[in-house]
Coordinates of all heavy atoms in Angstrom, one line a residue:
Q3 N 7.8 1.4 17.2 CA 7.6 2.4 18.1 C 8.3 3.7 17.5 O 9.4 3.6 16.9 CB 8.5 2.1 19.4 CG 7.9 1.0 20.2 CD 8.2 -0.4 19.6 OE1 9.2 -0.6 19.3 NE2 7.2 -1.3 19.6
L4 N 7.6 4.8 17.6 CA 7.9 6.1 17.0 C 8.1 7.2 18.0 O 7.0 7.3 18.8 CB 7.1 6.5 15.9 CG 6.9 5.5 14.8 CD1 5.8 5.8 13.8 CD2 8.2 5.3 13.9
V5 N 9.1 7.8 18.2 CA 9.2 8.8 19.3 C 9.7 10.2 18.6 O 10.8 10.2 18.1 CB 10.2 8.4 20.4 CG1 10.3 9.7 21.4 CG2 9.7 7.1 21.1
E6 N 8.9 11.2 18.6 CA 9.3 12.5 18.0 C 9.9 13.3 19.0 O 9.7 13.2 20.2 CB 8.0 13.2 17.4 CG 7.2 12.4 16.4 CD 6.0 11.6 17.0 OE1 6.0 11.4 18.2 OE2 5.0 11.5 16.3
S7 N 10.7 14.3 18.4 CA 11.4 15.3 19.3 C 11.7 16.5 18.4 O 11.6 16.4 17.2 CB 12.5 14.7 20.0 OG 13.6 14.3 19.0
G8 N 12.1 17.6 19.0 CA 12.5 18.7 18.3 C 11.6 19.9 18.1 O 11.8 20.9 17.6
G9 N 10.2 19.7 18.6 CA 9.3 20.7 18.5 C 9.7 21.8 19.5 O 10.6 21.6 20.4
G10 N 9.0 23.0 19.5 CA 9.3 24.0 20.3 C 8.5 25.3 19.8 O 7.7 25.2 18.9
S11 N 8.9 26.5 20.4 CA 8.4 27.8 20.0 C 9.4 28.4 19.2 O 10.6 28.5 19.5 CB 7.9 28.5 21.2 OG 6.9 27.8 22.0
V12 N 8.9 29.1 18.1 CA 9.9 29.8 17.2 C 9.1 31.0 16.7 O 7.9 31.0 16.5 CB 10.4 29.0 16.2 CG1 9.3 28.4 15.2 CG2 11.5 29.6 15.4
Q13 N 9.8 32.1 16.3 CA 9.2 33.2 15.7 C 9.1 33.0 14.2 O 9.7 32.1 13.7 CB 10.0 34.5 15.9 CG 9.9 34.9 17.3 CD 10.5 36.4 17.5 OE1 11.3 36.8 16.7 NE2 9.9 37.1 18.4
A14 N 8.1 33.6 13.6 CA 7.8 33.5 12.2 C 9.2 33.9 11.4 O 9.9 34.7 11.8 CB 6.7 34.5 11.7
G15 N 9.4 33.0 10.4 CA 10.6 33.1 9.6 C 11.7 32.2 10.2 O 12.7 32.0 9.4
G16 N 11.4 31.6 11.3 CA 12.4 30.8 11.9 C 12.5 29.4 11.3 O 11.7 29.1 10.4
S17 N 13.3 28.5 11.9 CA 13.4 27.2 11.5 C 13.5 26.2 12.7 O 13.8 26.6 13.8 CB 14.8 26.9 10.7 OG 14.9 27.8 9.6
L18 N 13.0 25.0 12.4 CA 13.1 23.8 13.4 C 13.4 22.6 12.6 O 13.0 22.4 11.5 CB 11.8 23.7 14.1 CG 11.4 24.7 15.3 CD1 10.0 24.4 15.8 CD2 12.5 24.5 16.4
R19 N 14.0 21.6 13.4 CA 14.1 20.3 12.8 C 13.5 19.3 13.7 O 13.9 19.2 14.9 CB 15.6 19.9 12.5 CG 15.8 18.7 11.7 CD 17.2 18.3 11.4 NE 17.8 17.7 12.5 CZ 19.0 17.0 12.6 NH1 19.4 16.6 11.3 NH2 19.6 16.5 13.6
L20 N 12.6 18.6 13.3 CA 11.9 17.6 14.0 C 12.6 16.3 13.7 O 13.1 15.9 12.6 CB 10.5 17.4 13.6 CG 9.6 18.7 13.7 CD1 8.2 18.3 13.4 CD2 9.7 19.3 15.1
S21 N 12.7 15.3 14.7 CA 13.2 14.0 14.6 C 12.2 13.0 15.0 O 11.4 13.2 15.9 CB 14.5 13.9 15.4 OG 15.5 14.8 15.1
C22 N 12.3 11.8 14.5 CA 11.4 10.7 14.8 C 12.2 9.5 14.9 O 12.7 8.9 13.8 CB 10.3 10.5 13.8 SG 9.3 9.1 14.1
A23 N 12.5 9.0 16.1 CA 13.3 7.8 16.3 C 12.5 6.6 16.2 O 11.5 6.6 16.8 CB 14.0 7.8 17.7
A24 N 12.8 5.7 15.3 CA 12.0 4.5 15.0 C 12.7 3.2 15.6 O 14.0 3.1 15.4 CB 11.7 4.5 13.6
S25 N 11.9 2.3 16.1 CA 12.5 1.0 16.4 C 11.4 0.0 16.1 O 10.2 0.1 16.1 CB 12.8 1.0 18.0 OG 11.7 1.3 18.7
G26 N 11.8 -1.3 16.0 CA 11.0 -2.4 15.8 C 10.4 -2.5 14.4 O 10.4 -1.5 13.6
G27 N 9.8 -3.7 14.1 CA 9.0 -3.8 12.8 C 9.6 -3.2 11.6 O 8.9 -2.3 10.9
T28 N 10.8 -3.6 11.2 CA 11.5 -3.0 10.0 C 10.6 -3.0 8.8 O 10.6 -2.0 8.1 CB 12.8 -3.7 9.8 OG1 13.6 -3.6 11.0 CG2 13.7 -3.1 8.7
G29 N 9.9 -4.1 8.7 CA 9.0 -4.2 7.4 C 7.9 -3.2 7.4 O 7.4 -2.9 6.3
Y30 N 7.6 -2.6 8.5 CA 6.5 -1.6 8.5 C 7.0 -0.2 8.5 O 6.3 0.8 8.8 CB 5.7 -1.9 9.8 CG 4.6 -2.9 9.7 CD1 4.9 -4.2 9.9 CD2 3.3 -2.4 9.3 CE1 3.8 -5.1 9.8 CE2 2.2 -3.4 9.2 CZ 2.6 -4.8 9.4 OH 1.7 -5.7 9.1
R31 N 8.3 -0.1 8.2 CA 8.9 1.3 8.1 C 9.4 1.5 6.6 O 10.2 2.5 6.4 CB 10.1 1.4 9.1 CG 9.6 1.5 10.4 CD 10.7 1.8 11.4 NE 11.4 0.8 11.9 CZ 12.7 0.6 12.0 NH1 13.5 1.6 11.6 NH2 13.3 -0.5 12.5
S32 N 8.8 0.8 5.6 CA 9.1 1.1 4.3 C 8.6 2.5 3.8 O 9.3 3.1 2.9 CB 8.5 0.1 3.3 OG 9.2 -1.2 3.6
Y33 N 7.6 2.9 4.3 CA 7.0 4.2 4.0 C 6.8 4.9 5.4 O 6.1 4.5 6.2 CB 5.6 4.0 3.3 CG 5.8 3.2 2.1 CD1 5.6 1.8 2.1 CD2 6.2 3.8 0.9 CE1 5.7 1.1 0.9 CE2 6.3 3.1 -0.3 CZ 6.1 1.7 -0.2 OH 6.4 1.0 -1.4
M34 N 7.3 6.2 5.4 CA 7.2 7.1 6.5 C 6.7 8.4 6.3 O 6.9 8.8 5.1 CB 8.4 7.0 7.4 CG 8.8 5.7 7.8 SD 10.2 5.8 9.0 CE 9.5 6.3 10.4
G35 N 6.0 9.0 7.1 CA 5.5 10.4 6.8 C 5.4 11.3 8.1 O 5.5 10.8 9.2
W36 N 5.2 12.6 7.8 CA 5.0 13.6 8.8 C 3.7 14.2 8.7 O 3.2 14.5 7.5 CB 6.1 14.7 8.8 CG 7.4 14.3 9.3 CD1 8.4 14.0 8.6 CD2 7.7 14.3 10.7 NE1 9.5 13.7 9.5 CE2 9.1 13.9 10.8 CE3 7.1 14.6 11.9 CZ2 9.8 13.7 12.0 CZ3 7.7 14.4 13.1 CH2 9.1 14.0 13.1
F37 N 2.9 14.2 9.6 CA 1.5 14.9 9.7 C 1.4 16.0 10.8 O 2.3 16.1 11.6 CB 0.5 13.7 9.9 CG 0.4 12.8 8.8 CD1 1.4 11.7 8.6 CD2 -0.7 12.9 7.9 CE1 1.3 10.8 7.6 CE2 -0.8 11.9 6.9 CZ 0.2 10.9 6.8
R38 N 0.4 16.7 10.6 CA 0.3 17.8 11.7 C -1.3 17.8 11.8 O -2.1 17.7 11.0 CB 0.9 19.1 11.4 CG 0.3 19.7 10.0 CD 1.2 21.0 9.6 NE 0.7 21.6 8.5 CZ 1.3 22.7 7.9 NH1 2.5 23.1 8.4 NH2 0.7 23.3 6.9
Q39 N -1.7 18.3 13.1 CA -3.0 18.5 13.5 C -3.2 19.6 14.4 O -2.5 19.7 15.4 CB -3.5 17.2 14.1 CG -5.0 17.1 14.2 CD -5.6 15.7 14.6 OE1 -4.8 14.9 15.1 NE2 -6.8 15.5 14.3
V40 N -4.2 20.5 14.2 CA -4.6 21.5 15.0 C -5.9 21.1 15.7 O -6.7 20.4 15.0 CB -4.8 22.8 14.2 CG1 -5.3 23.8 15.1 CG2 -3.5 23.3 13.5
P41 N -6.1 21.4 16.9 CA -7.3 21.0 17.5 C -8.6 21.4 16.8 O -8.7 22.6 16.3 CB -7.3 21.7 19.0 CG -5.9 21.9 19.1 CD -5.3 22.1 17.8
G42 N -9.5 20.5 16.6 CA -10.7 20.7 15.9 C -10.6 20.5 14.4 O -11.6 20.7 13.7
K43 N -9.5 20.3 13.8 CA -9.3 20.0 12.4 C -8.8 18.6 12.2 O -8.2 18.0 13.1 CB -8.3 21.0 11.9 CG -8.8 22.5 11.8 CD -8.0 23.4 11.0 CE -8.6 24.8 11.0 NZ -7.8 25.7 10.1
E44 N -8.9 18.1 10.9 CA -8.4 16.8 10.6 C -6.9 16.8 10.5 O -6.2 17.8 10.3 CB -9.0 16.3 9.2 CG -10.4 16.2 9.2 CD -11.1 15.6 8.1 OE1 -10.3 15.5 7.0 OE2 -12.2 15.3 8.0
R45 N -6.3 15.6 10.7 CA -5.0 15.5 10.6 C -4.5 15.6 9.1 O -5.1 15.0 8.3 CB -4.4 14.1 11.0 CG -3.0 13.9 11.3 CD -2.7 12.7 12.1 NE -3.2 12.9 13.5 CZ -2.9 12.0 14.5 NH1 -2.2 10.9 14.3 NH2 -3.3 12.3 15.7
E46 N -3.5 16.4 8.9 CA -3.0 16.9 7.5 C -1.7 16.3 7.3 O -0.8 16.3 8.0 CB -2.9 18.3 7.4 CG -2.3 18.9 6.2 CD -2.1 20.4 6.3 OE1 -1.9 20.9 7.3 OE2 -1.8 21.0 5.3
G47 N -1.5 15.6 6.0 CA -0.3 15.1 5.7 C 0.7 16.3 5.2 O 0.2 17.1 4.4
V48 N 1.8 16.2 5.7 CA 2.9 17.3 5.4 C 3.9 16.8 4.4 O 4.2 17.4 3.4 CB 3.5 17.7 6.7 CG1 4.7 18.7 6.4 CG2 2.5 18.3 7.7
A49 N 4.5 15.6 4.6 CA 5.5 15.1 3.8 C 5.6 13.6 4.0 O 5.4 13.1 5.1 CB 6.8 15.8 4.1
A50 N 6.1 12.9 3.0 CA 6.3 11.5 3.1 C 7.5 11.0 2.3 O 7.9 11.7 1.3 CB 5.0 10.7 2.7

Side-chain angles (χ1 to χ4, degrees):
Q3 291 79 42
L4 303 171
V5 180
E6 302 96 334
S7 61
S11 297
V12 64
Q13 289 194 327
S17 300
L18 280 175
R19 188 177 78 159
L20 306 182
S21 300
C22 173
S25 60
T28 304
Y30 276 86
R31 289 192 267 138
S32 296
Y33 302 94
M34 299 190 72
W36 285 100
F37 291 76
R38 63 188 182 187
Q39 190 168 24
V40 175
K43 293 191 175 181
E44 292 187 355
R45 192 164 293 190
E46 172 193 19
V48 174

